[in-house]
Amino acid sequence: MNIRYCEPRDRQAIVELLRETGFFYREEVEVAAEVLDEALAKGPAGDYQSFCCEDEAGAAVGWVCFGATPCTQGTFDVYWLAVAPAAQGRGIGRKLMVHAEDSIRTRGGRLVIVETAGREAYAPTRSFYERIGYEEAARVADFYAEGDDKVIYTKRM
């Protein structure tokens, strides 16, 4: 599996894999598509660094998007991480996060922030972040919806 900057040819596959996961609300997929479009338009010089993991046929099966957090010194947000359901369980999410963290370090990053949902369906997601060294730093009750907290994880580089 190869990790590379996203290209315009990856857009549809990334949007589709976001939908297929069943985790994201329709509005979230729309925001992700907007972020992806900006990353594709501005490339490596833009605020959003967007990478995909491609399968043997060159199709995008995983996506990570991160960027420097405005008004901070060395803090970065991982905005999106998703893997196509058919490709899950092969370490793609972990590889994308390692790639993002390495890229963040080379950009002078010292702290990474990940926000995720608190609803039960996201328990495996939260467990994943904890397994790769992220610690829960805060929880905002009922942030996304009633009973759906925002859970904020951090990792020092």
Side-chain angles (χ1 to χ4, degrees):
M1 299 265 171
N2 182 44
I3 297 175
R4 58 172 171 74
Y5 270 107
C6 293
E7 300 171 1
R9 68 182 172 100
D10 303 314
R11 186 187 189 280
Q12 186 58 39
I14 292 169
V15 171
E16 190 58 34
L17 75 85
L18 288 165
R19 286 187 188 118
E20 288 175 353
T21 66
F23 280 92
F24 304 109
Y25 296 123
R26 181 184 55 78
E27 297 85 5
E28 292 173 311
V29 174
E30 290 172 4
V31 169
E34 290 173 9
V35 168
L36 176 59
D37 288 342
E38 183 170 331
L40 292 172
K42 295 186 177 178
D47 292 333
Y48 298 112
Q49 299 301 300
S50 186
F51 292 88
C52 65
C53 183
E54 63 183 359
D55 64 12
E56 297 77 19
V61 294
W63 179 51
V64 67
C65 181
F66 64 89
T69 308
C71 301
T72 69
Q73 295 179 357
T75 301
F76 282 72
D77 282 286
V78 173
Y79 299 110
W80 296 96
L81 175 67
V83 176
Q88 290 178 4
R90 293 193 257 166
I92 293 170
R94 180 181 298 267
K95 289 176 187 173
L96 285 165
M97 286 301 292
V98 166
H99 183 83
E101 291 168 359
D102 288 346
S103 296
I104 288 167
R105 273 188 211 91
T106 65
R107 290 169 168 81
R110 61 176 181 78
L111 182 66
V112 180
I113 308 292
V114 176
E115 298 176 3
T116 192
R119 62 186 185 269
E120 185 57 33
Y122 275 78
T125 302
R126 293 187 303 273
S127 177
F128 166 77
Y129 286 121
E130 291 166 5
R131 281 193 315 274
I132 63 170
Y134 286 78
E135 296 179 357
E136 184 175 327
R139 185 178 285 256
V140 181
D142 302 322
F143 181 84
Y144 294 107
E146 191 70 35
D148 190 3
D149 302 348
K150 175 194 279 192
V151 184
I152 303 167
Y153 286 94
T154 63
K155 184 175 184 180
R156 296 206 174 272
M157 294 288 94

